[in-house]
Amino acid sequence: MPEVLGPVGGRQSGERTVRGVSASPDVVIIGAGMVGAACASYAARAGLTVTVVDRGPIVAGSTGAGEGNILVSDKEPGPELELALLSQRLWTELGEELDPASFELEPKGGLVVAETLDGLRSLYDLAIVQGARGVRTMAVDAESLPHYEPHLAPDLAGGVHYPQDLQVQPMLAAACLLRDARAHGAQVRTGVEVTGARRDSNGRLAALLTNVGPIPTESVVNATGTWGGEVSARLGAPVPVLPRRGFVLVTEPLPRLIRHKVYAAEYVANVASSEEGLETSAVVEGTDSGTVLIGASRERVGFDRTLSVPVLQRLAAQATRLFPMLASVSAIRAYRGFRPYCPDHLPVIGADPRVPGVYHACGHEGAGIGLSAATGHLIAAALAGKEPEIAVSAFSPLRFVEEAA
Amino acid sequence: MSTFWFDGHEVPFRPGATIGAALLASGIRSWRTTRGQGRPRGVFCGIGVCFDCLATVDGRPNQRACLTPARDGMDVRSQEGTGHGEFAG
Amino acid sequence: MASSPVDVCVVGAGPAGLTAAVAAATAGRTVALVDAGARPGGQFWRHSPAGIEADRALHHDFVKYRQLETGLARFVQTGQIRLLTRHQVWTIERGARFTVRALKAGEYERTVDAAALVLAPGAYDRQVPLPGWELPGVYTAGGAQALLKEHGVLVGARVLVAGTGPFLLSVAAGLAQRGARVVGVYEANTGLGWLHHRSLRAVVRNFGKLSEGIHYAGTFARHRVWYHPRSTIVAAHGDTEVRAATVARLTRHGAVVPGSERRIEVDAIAVGWGFTPQLELPVALGTRTEVDADGSEIVLVGDWQQSSTPGVFVAGEATGVGGAALARVEGEIAGYAAAWYVNVDHESASFHPRSRRAERRLSWLRKRRLTLRAFAAAMHRAHPVPPSWLDQLQPDTLVCRCEEVSVERLRTAADDLGVTDARLAKLLTRTGMGWCQGRVCGYATACLVARFAGTGYDPRGLTERPLAVPVPLGVLAHGAAPAVPADESWRGE
């Protein structure tokens, strides 16, 4: 059943209007996950009338199945690192404006560790080129590791500290940004599924077609994450986004034992890899609530939600390798999510010239939470006809068309 | 009668008793404080569902007292918060 | 540690599972029966330290249990049934066959490889929050019963019993017989409400239930226990443990009658609002579910107790709370059906009992199941959870006991953050995220979200628990157990 959350302010908070969406919003954002929320917030702040629609409730997709990473550490120099650096700055600003505690924004920093000297050498090599792009890095030798993380296994070779890495509670972050959008006049309408797009005689977008009727608008943003491929096809401007499954183990609540986001050096390689098969590398971090989150696995198995015991076993083995004291700690929960990945592992951000009025903001793979702020910022600029803050050609929706041609 | 240690006191139990049953039979109703508000908790569901009766048993924290069989000489301790005091400091 | 494969693995050794295991073995199959308890019987047939026999007064259907136990013992003797007690199943993998993974005392893992499954996970007391319910001395009705039946422990000297459903009578009678002063039984509905429903045929056929009621009436009279229909507990009081309770009368519509509140000194309270089925294992196997008349999420099963997942049969409370007699009937059907399933071509075959005798038996079982389900439905209609609890909540009343999430926090999340369903409430407030994974607060969370957000009640979204029990990471990391003690016999303890 469709639900409408009206603008906040002007009347009692939480009051719901039974009126439909505004007759003809400037922009309709499809997807009420983290990326859609960020797009809505920045667009509404820019003065546009915004309606967010989602076929399910808010934060029902991959936003609710991740770890809330805002990382620069795992990005190799290139367009994605530029996006990550912009996003890191914007997230810090959002935290100051919206109260960092409201979505558990924590400037915890990342610690990437290597088991062997060879591994450490590669880590240092990466850190040096990242440093040249403005990433702050700090080499950590084996003796100094315990100062960062006292419970790490004693036989590691060393690591690199990335003070800029942040963490948020992603579901709260998305809900807070949607609230912020509503405070700036946006409407959020759940239970609305997109069925197609109506175009005018010039081929421009005229209305978004949905299961509850058409919504006249000149612009839509496809922020549907892993489902972005399907939705883009319905809009007549297909982009290739596919699911890459990951599992996360959640431990019983613990005292604050793990301070940074700690991960093994192979993680960076796995993020960038295109393997179909199972890849796992330990990513371990504590949360505000005391639980420790253990990732990360990557598999291309479609939308199969079945729990995979071999994956959980590997995650547990790798996490206890990094933090031996976790062996006596219980996992009380496990969840799986589907990262939205594109063949070149870069997101799709910006206007799609094939259907003027259609914009994409999807395909962020495992970095959607982190990259959402910059994505929303770029989309809002594009909608307002402003120059983007960073180069966006690498994220063009047409890059797949050209490849195919 | 067999006994186990609870926070340094001897608690008797009948064969087949769980730690929770033995503590209750001895008039001890709570052996855990919550990590948020520091409130006392003991047995609630009695069948292993609610995890309210957690205790530290022979050094292992967060064992369900209502399911764990009592054994002679066992060391049972009340626990605070997460129960993982061993990691503190 | 893996063990030799079996035809059928039965999870849960209460009335449904025990019956299923014996039925499948009778049909000639090898069976593994896995249960978390120290001995078979489940939450229904409990063993006291002196043995189950000493307490026959407190046990229903004692004769049935004896028959099943004898059957079980015979099959365990021949090795046809392997009994794994104190094993908690944490997950089941599904491929061409099933791999059931169980933790022994949380210390190591044992796996069972089976061609078919019967899941009989049972149920636990349904709870709703009330101010003070987290105080030590407040117990679930089932918890008070378990302590009494299994350990001979009285939860208090002055005990108040409250909630709804006939189970309260059994709990109160047991407590009174063992010497507790039961200061009152507060039944939110009218005690014999089900008599007014158009299910008299079912009731007459279940005369056993009626005579049980009369038995309790006698016990109450002897022990001066007052039974208060259409009354409820509204709060528990105390500082570090419960000292008193406030009770009140209810209107026809389940609202508190203003001014009828009364405070009673107690040292223990036993509360129960019906039962919640344990659904995590069937849900993890992808079985289709629905919402039952009592508001519980249940597994949808067909005529042979088969779920929507091939090879997975479900029996007992998980298919709809209906009591031990129904659980036994479902268990027997499921046991036969799973036995049959093992050796057929699953695509084309439909179920055919092997002998005329089996056919007659199954036809009787199915008729009996129909009657008992009608009776269960009548009981659900007669014992709804009255809406009064929602009005009695204070802003600081805890909804989630594990994570200490208050009513106020849930309300704010609905008003402020756009929480429209129970799953979202969990993600944004941590209700149901703690040790019990929403088992205790799931129903209440679904009710509260529906009220605060103005959406429909839907308990689904909170029963998904891929890890059915906590698993130590060290055990998980090792996969199969590193070392299973040599004295662990495969045939139980």
Side-chain angles (χ1 to χ4, degrees), chain A residues 86-296:
Chain A
L86 173 61
S87 222
Q88 199 271 351
R89 201 189 79 211
L90 293 170
W91 269 114
T92 309
E93 286 170 18
L94 284 170
E96 283 159 12
E97 288 166 42
L98 301 176
D99 173 18
S102 64
F103 49 94
E104 300 175 15
L105 176 74
E106 227 189 316
K108 67 196 317 190
L111 183 68
V112 190
V113 296
E115 282 191 44
T116 62
L117 280 176
D118 272 355
L120 187 60
R121 220 163 284 133
S122 321
L123 270 189
Y124 286 170
D125 286 347
L126 177 64
I128 288 164
V129 291
Q130 286 171 324
R133 297 303 314 155
V135 176
R136 287 164 54 207
T137 62
M138 181 106 62
V140 181
D141 58 28
E143 291 69 43
S144 307
L145 279 178
H147 298 303
Y148 287 83
E149 290 293 343
H151 297 280
L152 269 176
D155 57 347
L156 298 169
V160 177
H161 177 227
Y162 291 86
Q164 285 160 303
D165 284 354
L166 310 172
Q167 188 175 17
V168 290
Q169 204 276 34
M171 296 78 84
L172 278 175
C176 286
L177 284 190
L178 284 173
R179 180 177 59 186
D180 177 64
R182 281 158 56 213
H184 289 85
Q187 282 186 322
V188 179
R189 219 179 153 190
T190 53
V192 177
E193 180 161 9
V194 170
T195 54
R198 183 187 295 152
R199 297 156 78 166
D200 65 18
S201 52
N202 299 322
R204 262 203 72 83
L205 180 79
L208 185 66
L209 304 179
T210 75
N211 62 333
V212 295
I215 305 173
T217 182
E218 288 182 5
S219 307
V220 299
V221 178
N222 168 23
T224 55
T226 314
W227 295 267
E230 161 97 36
V231 171
S232 64
R234 291 184 191 184
L235 295 173
V239 290
V241 183
L242 290 162
R244 200 175 183 194
R245 186 173 73 177
F247 284 97
V248 174
L249 279 168
V250 187
T251 70
E252 59 183 279
L254 298 170
R256 199 63 192 254
L257 301 175
I258 299 171
R259 302 168 191 164
H260 302 82
K261 178 195 174 68
V262 179
Y263 60 92
E266 310 86 65
Y267 179 75
V268 182
N270 284 355
V271 169
S273 132
S274 293
E275 282 289 311
E276 292 243 344
L278 169 66
E279 295 168 7
T280 61
S281 50
V283 180
V284 185
E285 59 199 306
T287 66
D288 240 23
S289 54
T291 55
V292 170
L293 306 182
I294 298 168

Side-chain angles (χ1 to χ4, degrees), chain C residues 346-365:
Chain C
H346 304 136
E347 295 305 314
S348 57
S350 61
F351 186 85
H352 288 297
R354 292 200 310 174
S355 67
R356 181 164 289 181
R357 193 156 154 254
E359 198 174 322
R360 273 202 305 273
R361 175 71 182 160
L362 280 164
S363 142
W364 180 83
L365 285 169

